[in-house]
């Protein structure tokens, strides 16, 4: 462990919460049970991140590609999300957690949109953990949406710095650490622009089994990494 990395807490952690379906299947249960347990694991991760002083936590909850799943599963996931928000809003406020949703909002069903906008508004003054839930999100869609805004404004002078201003949340720093559960070693169209120099951590653990201990393991792994950003160590 490098001394300068000891106790270093990443400012922004992003998580691809994967493996809910397999968790349920392993127990002979329908996939939706996995999503229910997955919501509990998300709550644990949120509280842990807020307790240890992570500033930004981005959770991948539903990708634009996930619409291709059976309708009952999609409906269940959205129902769970609405229930979760209604249930936990007061606890988010108590913990001073600021909640925002990342993704294409315009194509979300009306009741979902109302629920998420209400939660965003209610927590907008909170100054603790910045919780970002990626919903109907895809990295390529975000980049294309940024390009559309640039074209519409007729901007020709474009740089890496000003391009960032057209992403969904320009104020959010790039993730320092990306965690993906369930053993899949891929990005699945998540935060393509922002992950350029993020440390990647993959674990076999299925999302519903991801607890504080597993989160700590990921943080220890992060602390043992040497981030060079293209430079060399002198
Ligand atoms: C992640 O778990 C949750 C969502 C994508 C909504 P999965 O539902 O992808 O679970 P597996 O990968 O099929 O096990
Ligand atoms: C990525 O998981 C999306 C979310 C966790 C919301 P998927 O299960 O959809 O990813 P693939 O299909 O295995 O790449
Ligand atoms: Mg999956």
């Amino acid at each position: 462990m490098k001394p300068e990395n000891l106790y270093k807490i990443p400012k922004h952690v992003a998580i691809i919460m994967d493996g809910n379906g397999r968790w349920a299947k392993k127990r002979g249960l329908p996939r939706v049970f996995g999503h229910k347990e997955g919501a509990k694991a998300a709550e644990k991760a949120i509280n842990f991140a807020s307790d240890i002083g992570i500033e930004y936590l981005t959770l991948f909850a539903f990708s634009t590609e996930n619409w291709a799943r059976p309708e009952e599963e999609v409906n269940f996931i959205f129902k769970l999300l609405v229930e979760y928000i209604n249930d936990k809003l007061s606890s988010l406020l108590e913990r001073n957690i600021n909640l925002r949703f990342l993704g294409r909002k315009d194509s979300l069903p009306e009741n979902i949109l109302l629920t998420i906008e209400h939660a965003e508004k209610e927590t907008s003054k909170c100054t603790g953990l910045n919780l970002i839930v990626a919903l109907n999100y895809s990295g390529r869609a975000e980049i294309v949406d940024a390009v559309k805004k640039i074209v519409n404004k007729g901007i020709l002078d474009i740089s890496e710095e000003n391009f960032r201003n057209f992403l969904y949340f320009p104020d959010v720093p790039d993730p320092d650490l990306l965690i993906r559960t369930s053993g899949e070693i891929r990005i699945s169209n998540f935060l393509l622009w922002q992950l350029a120099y993020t440390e990647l951590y993959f674990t076999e653990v299925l999302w519903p089994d991801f607890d504080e201990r597993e989160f700590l393991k990921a943080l220890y792994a992060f602390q043992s990494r040497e981030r060079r950003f293209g430079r060399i160590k002198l």
Side-chain angles (χ1 to χ4, degrees):
M1 179 83 58
K2 280 156 218 67
E4 69 269 25
N5 277 354
L6 203 60
Y7 311 126
K8 192 148 98 197
I9 301 292
K11 191 172 179 160
H12 182 178
V13 176
I15 309 183
I16 302 177
M17 311 184 289
D18 198 14
N20 292 350
R22 277 163 284 170
W23 185 93
K25 196 169 173 220
K26 254 175 56 183
R27 288 162 178 77
L29 297 166
R31 291 177 56 84
V32 293
F33 280 80
H35 295 312
K36 246 185 142 152
E37 282 304 304
K40 293 184 197 159
E43 188 181 3
K44 269 189 212 162
I46 293 164
N47 291 342
F48 184 72
S50 128
D51 286 344
I52 67 164
I54 287 169
E55 289 181 43
Y56 297 85
L57 178 68
T58 300
L59 301 177
F60 202 2
F62 193 85
S63 75
T64 52
E65 290 79 14
N66 289 146
W67 291 109
R69 294 188 180 199
E71 204 182 324
E72 314 85 78
E73 180 170 343
V74 172
N75 288 344
F76 187 90
I77 292 171
F78 281 106
K79 200 174 110 226
L80 198 63
L81 182 85
V82 169
E83 275 172 21
Y84 184 87
I85 296 172
N86 291 335
D87 258 29
K88 304 295 170 195
L89 192 55
S90 57
S91 142
L92 293 177
L93 287 166
E94 244 166 62
R95 285 182 164 268
N96 197 21
I97 295 175
N98 181 304
L99 171 63
R100 283 190 280 172
F101 289 85
L102 177 78
R104 278 189 176 158
K105 286 197 179 131
D106 42 15
S107 41
L108 287 174
E110 177 83 12
N111 70 319
I112 310 292
L113 198 60
L114 287 173
T115 307
I116 68 177
E117 284 181 342
H118 172 69
E120 285 182 331
K121 197 161 167 257
E122 287 287 306
T123 63
S124 63
K125 301 244 156 43
C126 294
T127 53
L129 173 72
N130 290 283
L131 173 61
I132 297 158
V133 176
L135 192 69
N136 195 21
Y137 176 84
S138 109
R140 286 186 178 173
E142 181 177 21
I143 293 170
V144 167
D145 286 350
V147 172
K148 280 186 188 159
K149 288 181 218 161
I150 291 166
V151 171
N152 286 339
K153 284 185 188 282
I155 298 169
L156 296 175
D157 176 23
I158 195 79
S159 65
E160 288 186 19
E161 285 68 36
N162 69 12
F163 184 81
R164 180 179 293 276
N165 295 333
F166 298 95
L167 294 173
Y168 295 144
F169 293 153
D171 60 303
V172 176
D174 290 343
D176 300 292
L177 172 66
L178 172 80
I179 298 170
R180 182 173 190 149
T181 56
S182 89
E184 309 297 354
I185 316 289
R186 55 176 171 262
I187 299 299
S188 299
N189 212 351
F190 195 36
L191 302 174
L192 295 181
W193 176 274
Q194 297 87 338
L195 292 176
Y197 263 107
T198 300
E199 295 298 326
L200 309 179
Y201 176 86
F202 297 99
T203 170
E204 294 285 328
V205 171
L206 301 173
W207 177 251
D209 293 327
F210 191 88
D211 57 10
E212 294 83 356
R213 202 183 143 86
E214 294 300 330
F215 206 147
L216 266 178
K217 281 195 214 163
L219 295 177
Y220 289 145
F222 173 77
Q223 288 169 344
S224 72
R225 307 277 178 91
E226 182 184 87
R227 304 187 77 189
R228 288 193 290 276
F229 300 99
R231 300 186 189 97
I232 55 166
K233 188 143 173 47
L234 295 171

